[in-house]
Amino acid sequence: MRGSFVYMGIVMNITDPIGSMKGVGPKTAALFAKLNIYTVEDLIRFYPRTYLSYGEPVYVREAEVGERVAIRASIQSYVDIKKIRNLRLVTCMAKDASGSVKLLWYNCPFLKQVFHIGQTFIFVGDLSIRNHQFVMEHPEYYTEQQYATLIASMQPVYPLTEGLSNKVVTKLIKAAMEQIDQLEDKVPECVIERYQLMALKDAVTGTHFPTNAEQLLECRNRLVFDEFFWFLVQMHYMREHTMKAENQNRITDWSAVDDYIAKLPFTLTKGQQDALQDIRSDMSGTTVMNRLVQGDVGSGKTAVAMMAILACVKNGYQAAFMAPTEVLAMQHYESVQKDLGEFGVRVALLCGSTRLAEKRKIYEALAAGEIDVIVGTHALIQDKVMYHNLALVITDEQHRFGVRQREKLSRKGQEPHVLIMSATPIPRTLAIIMYGDLDISIMKDMPATRKPIKNCVVGPKYRPTAYKFMLEQIEKGHQIYIICPMVEASENMSAENVIEYQENIREYFPDKVRIAYLHGKMTPDEKNMIMSTFAEGKIDILVSTTVIEVGINNPNATVIMIENAEKFGLAQLHQLRGRVGRGADQSYCIMLCGTERKEALDRLSILNASNDGFYIANEDLKLRGPGDFFGVRQSGDMLFHLGDIYNNADMLKTANDAIAYLEQTHYPFEQLAMPEEMTHVQL
Ligand code: ADP
Ligand code: MG
């Protein structure tokens, strides 16, 4: 049913383009497009990233340093404006009954007209101490009257893009919410009743504009249920499909793999051997392989992939190896060349940034069967790519291989074996739900030559000592990663941060130490260049944002220092840490904690105590309650917007139960109309 609504004289449909809303011109619409928001409904479904609460103002001296606080202070000095490079630094002093605080903004010269000596405002922001002085950087400011309406409320904070302010987005969402009655609930009635789900409209409203944390939790739970439910509906289709798929590409000759194993400079772990055995019986069996190989960072998943590829090629078929980033794809491409070249395997690299002429050549060679293995990013399964006889698709550190991708390939007459490699530590009970369509091989053991990583959690004062330690490691011929603090607000700022950090640390190191940096704003070519130079050992210290998080392998790197470790999720920290300890040498992970808050330190101490991804995920879970969604997300690599399989494990189980119920009652699944916005959960 498609209703319509008369709004200020304009008939507005929930399906109307966002450009038809009052106050949204082509420019704003283009910005929203960057956020994948095209219609009024998309806007309604655009949920806050977090919420800001506005508490009672506290005294400066009693406020928690390092926290977001509200203070009521009167202006003590004229507003001062200094020009530093291209920045205009705006400062002013204010004080309350307990003490004074320096207020500081960038590029807001108009504040000179706002603040006058003697006036009182409520300032809200992060309080810090610099040079023995309280400082608030870029605080929000309110008059008493304005603040009275904010206090005790929860204000939504939306994930933004440059050029769109939270204020504007909030206002537009409020306007769009007028059409909420048109929002259709596509979850079957019987499921809603059986699990007593809250009405969708109420859930959406309460998620945008909650009145309190408890209500918010309830509303979000309904939306989280929906995400899981639609994901599992797709899983249902997938199970139906793959159970039927016959193996048309039998891989029976595994003799080359035996040669490969004999030539390896190490012996396979038990986990690697078992995974290989599973893959071998799948690929030679009667139905198509659909397997997840799960192994902690550094457990040696790549070697397993290599063996599957080799067997596939030696039996006369093509293989595709997909990675989530170009940098990782590049690394895998080099490994395939190095490891499998001597077996006569012809390999090519295909990424988004590959030159057009080169791409065309690759397409042709692939279709003609002149390339055996293609390594790359998602570009590999685009419509343009035609294969000669693709029999194996491997995705590394990747989410999953969805129904759509499968469909795409089978439409081209391919029904390849699928192998998914993941380091996400996920408890068995959840794995069975999340990967219900896959067989699972778990690699529990690490290569025997590995020494466990030595960890420490330290404060900022330790930095110079850390640099000294790094220098010693560099003099032994090793290499270092430094992960810079994240800047949530913008990619540009993160990039600047990395550059500045890298300049600042030069004074701690002799000139001969080669320092380079890496961030997400660099072009794929630049990133690849830096990563290969680093892999060749020609860079000693690599200062980077988290772009290096996924899968990068340089066994010669022995130290990783993570700035602002408290801002990362434990799973993410564990992945980052996994960049070292990949060779035979003792490796070290230095977690620099920017706060002394007990919870932060407790959380990090979990990592400090263990190098085991499963243990870490479980312990982290114990530390958080089910409503703890304001913190760092645990499983950032799962494709849910709101749901988190760890924190919302109960909802995942409920949704799974609902699917089982529908299956039992022979519900006609084909009648389910998946909401468009839910398709994101599948790659
Ligand atoms: P991950 O499972 O994180 O993808 P990789 O496959 O990149 O790990 O392997 C990490 C490192 O361990 C690589 O340098 C690889 O050569 C090495 N490696 C793999 N298997 C073994 C093994 N059985 N014994 C010793 N080293 C191994
Ligand atoms: Mg890997």
Side-chain angles (χ1 to χ4, degrees):
M1 193 191 70
R2 202 193 265 189
S4 60
F5 196 85
V6 180
Y7 181 62
M8 291 169 54
I10 310 160
V11 181
M12 198 149 89
N13 266 315
I14 199 164
T15 48
D16 283 347
I18 187 163
S20 65
M21 288 182 73
K22 207 170 154 252
V24 182
K27 246 195 201 153
T28 312
L31 290 173
F32 274 113
K34 274 197 196 166
L35 297 166
N36 277 325
I37 297 170
Y38 300 97
T39 65
V40 176
E41 177 165 1
D42 291 344
L43 193 58
I44 288 177
R45 292 286 202 163
F46 184 58
Y47 301 120
R49 172 170 64 80
T50 182
Y51 305 81
L52 290 180
S53 50
Y54 292 84
E56 282 291 342
V58 292
Y59 285 126
V60 176
R61 280 199 176 282
E62 286 165 16
E64 186 102 32
V65 174
E67 293 289 291
R68 182 182 139 87
V69 296
I71 56 167
R72 178 184 283 116
S74 64
I75 306 291
Q76 288 294 299
S77 72
Y78 291 110
V79 174
D80 179 55
I81 303 180
K82 263 201 200 75
K83 231 180 138 176
I84 302 175
R85 280 189 282 173
N86 54 359
L87 267 188
R88 270 192 284 178
L89 200 61
V90 180
T91 56
C92 133
M93 295 300 298
K95 75 174 226 190
D96 66 13
S98 76
S100 64
V101 57
K102 183 173 173 179
L103 307 168
L104 183 159
W105 292 267
Y106 302 104
N107 295 337
C108 303
F110 60 88
L111 290 176
K112 208 170 174 64
Q113 273 78 54
V114 177
F115 299 131
H116 302 286
I117 291 179
Q119 285 177 330
T120 299
F121 290 89
I122 317 290
F123 297 98
V124 185
D126 292 334
L127 188 69
S128 58
I129 296 183
R130 269 182 233 165
N131 302 326
H132 309 288
Q133 186 173 43
F134 288 109
V135 178
M136 239 190 205
E137 205 168 309
H138 246 290
E140 302 161 35
Y141 52 90
Y142 302 96
T143 62
E144 289 280 1
Q145 228 176 2
Q146 288 167 330
Y147 201 71
T149 64
L150 270 181
I151 201 154
S153 73
M154 295 175 77
Q155 296 296 317
V157 180
Y158 293 96
L160 301 169
T161 186
E162 243 169 77
L164 269 183
S165 75
N166 198 52
K167 234 182 197 157
V168 167
V169 174
T170 310
K171 209 175 116 204
L172 288 171
I173 286 179
K174 275 199 175 130
M177 291 299 278
E178 305 263 345
Q179 321 308 323
I180 186 85
D181 278 340
Q182 293 177 42
L183 196 67
E184 204 184 330
D185 192 345
K186 290 174 175 157
V187 174
E189 199 82 40
C190 60
V191 169
I192 294 180
E193 261 167 42
R194 187 179 166 90
Y195 300 98
Q196 308 245 316
L197 299 177
M198 171 193 269
L200 181 64
K201 289 165 199 168
D202 296 343
V204 171
T205 309
T207 299
H208 282 297
F209 307 109
T211 44
N212 58 55
E214 204 177 315
Q215 183 224 11
L216 170 62
L217 178 59
E218 219 180 302
C219 294
R220 270 183 72 117
N221 265 346
R222 165 67 216 260
L223 302 182
V224 166
F225 174 91
D226 279 26
E227 270 194 317
F228 291 153
F229 179 79
W230 293 114
F231 169 76
L232 293 172
V233 165
Q234 297 190 63
M235 193 80 89
H236 165 88
Y237 292 136
M238 208 119 98
R239 265 198 306 271
E240 297 253 289
H241 175 90
T242 44
M243 256 154 33
K244 283 187 228 132
E246 187 198 332
N247 183 1
Q248 293 156 9
N249 311 305
R250 301 264 180 129
I251 312 294
T252 47
D253 179 1
W254 288 74
S255 54
V257 170
D258 294 334
D259 290 349
Y260 174 85
I261 294 171
K263 282 186 182 152
L264 277 177
F266 47 74
T267 47
L268 295 179
T269 64
K270 170 98 176 30
Q272 285 170 321
Q273 285 172 26
D274 291 349
L276 176 64
Q277 193 47 49
D278 291 341
I279 291 167
R280 190 167 166 164
S281 72
D282 287 348
M283 287 172 69
S284 59
T286 52
T287 49
V288 160
M289 171 169 75
N290 241 312
R291 183 166 293 279
L292 168 76
V293 172
Q294 195 183 56
D296 212 341
V297 274
S299 59
K301 295 184 289 295
T302 316
V304 174
M306 291 297 169
M307 293 187 279
I309 291 172
L310 182 59
C312 173
V313 172
K314 283 292 147 188
N315 282 262
Y317 297 104
Q318 290 176 310
F321 195 177
M322 280 205 291
T325 64
E326 294 210 357
V327 170
L328 193 54
M330 176 86 174
Q331 179 187 294
H332 283 330
Y333 168 70
E334 282 167 1
S335 306
V336 174
Q337 260 184 334
K338 198 171 102 243
D339 287 19
L340 304 185
E342 58 180 300
F343 291 90
V345 172
R346 297 163 298 177
V347 57
L349 177 69
L350 181 64
C351 292
S353 68
T354 308
R355 309 260 172 282
L356 203 62
E358 173 76 9
K359 268 186 191 160
R360 287 213 187 96
K361 263 205 310 222
I362 293 177
Y363 293 154
E364 266 172 39
L366 269 179
E370 288 155 10
I371 290 172
D372 303 311
V373 185
I374 184 83
V375 185
T377 52
H378 259 88
L380 296 191
I381 49 160
Q382 273 170 7
D383 289 331
K384 274 172 271 178
V385 190
M386 300 302 279
Y387 290 93
H388 177 62
N389 59 358
L390 180 70
L392 172 66
V393 174
I394 301 184
T395 70
D396 185 29
E397 306 287 353
Q398 184 68 280
H399 312 290
R400 53 173 51 250
F401 196 71
V403 196
R404 281 206 179 78
Q405 296 159 317
R406 225 170 237 297
E407 267 171 7
K408 250 187 200 172
L409 288 172
S410 41
R411 256 186 279 124
K412 294 181 200 175
Q414 320 277 352
E415 193 68 65
H417 298 288
V418 172
L419 187 61
I420 294 166
M421 324 272 268
S422 165
T424 307
I426 171 172
R428 184 103 211 159
T429 46
L430 296 185
I432 290 168
I433 301 176
M434 289 297 299
Y435 302 111
D437 57 321
L438 303 175
D439 296 312
I440 304 179
S441 304
I442 297 180
M443 309 207 306
K444 280 225 171 78
D445 44 354
M446 284 287 161
T449 47
R450 274 313 139 65
K451 294 192 182 75
I453 298 168
K454 290 194 173 156
N455 305 294
C456 63
V457 178
V458 293
K461 282 201 199 101
Y462 184 80
R463 236 181 242 122
T465 319
Y467 295 144
K468 218 151 97 209
F469 178 71
M470 288 176 193
L471 186 57
E472 287 167 23
Q473 287 287 312
I474 292 168
E475 277 163 356
K476 285 182 188 159
H478 293 308
Q479 291 164 277
I480 316 284
Y481 294 103
I482 298 178
I483 307 302
C484 258
M486 283 188 293
V487 185
E488 247 179 47
S490 88
E491 274 284 313
N492 280 328
M493 261 163 89
S494 297
E496 232 162 78
N497 232 7
V498 167
I499 296 168
E500 205 177 299
Y501 191 102
Q502 166 262 158
E503 277 166 12
N504 289 343
I505 60 170
R506 283 201 186 269
E507 64 172 292
Y508 291 94
F509 296 94
D511 288 344
K512 64 172 198 287
V513 170
R514 296 156 299 181
I515 305 175
Y517 62 86
L518 190 69
H519 59 72
K521 279 266 154 166
M522 292 162 97
T523 67
D525 275 353
E526 287 171 322
K527 280 190 235 168
N528 288 339
M529 248 284 287
I530 296 282
M531 282 319 298
S532 10
T533 318
F534 187 65
E536 285 163 22
K538 291 180 187 156
I539 292 170
D540 299 306
I541 302 180
L542 183 59
V543 179
S544 170
T545 58
T546 54
V547 289
I548 62 128
E549 182 184 351
V550 173
I552 293 302
N553 185 43
N554 178 351
N556 191 42
T558 54
V559 181
I560 185 164
M561 179 160 101
I562 303 161
E563 291 275 355
N564 278 130
E566 78 280 4
K567 292 202 177 161
F568 293 89
L570 290 192
Q572 201 182 3
L573 283 174
H574 181 61
Q575 278 282 333
L576 281 169
R577 172 169 69 182
R579 296 315 110 218
V580 300
R582 300 175 82 84
D585 298 297
Q586 179 61 57
S587 290
Y588 305 87
C589 172
I590 304 167
M591 289 172 265
L592 225 115
C593 191
T595 157
E596 299 197 337
R597 274 176 39 224
K598 190 171 174 311
E599 305 95 85
L601 292 171
D602 279 354
R603 216 161 59 82
L604 291 176
S605 70
I606 295 174
L607 276 178
N608 206 1
S610 170
N611 289 317
D612 175 353
F614 281 88
Y615 171 82
I616 289 163
N618 275 323
E619 287 302 300
D620 197 20
L621 200 54
K622 280 189 213 157
L623 273 189
R624 2 167 112 232
D628 192 4
F629 42 67
F630 298 116
V632 248
R633 273 168 66 117
Q634 179 60 258
S635 48
D637 52 355
M638 294 288 169
L639 294 168
F640 301 108
H641 280 164
L642 296 174
D644 180 296
I645 58 161
Y646 295 89
N647 293 341
N648 306 114
D650 50 341
M651 273 297 145
L652 183 57
K653 284 174 188 150
T654 308
N656 190 48
D657 194 76
I659 298 291
Y661 170 72
L662 292 178
E663 281 172 354
Q664 267 161 29
T665 55
H666 303 287
Y667 186 87
F669 273 80
E670 63 282 358
Q671 278 179 18
L672 284 177
M674 165 131 9
E676 190 49 41
E677 74 280 358
M678 286 301 166
T679 53
H680 72 266
V681 293
Q682 203 58 249
L683 271 182

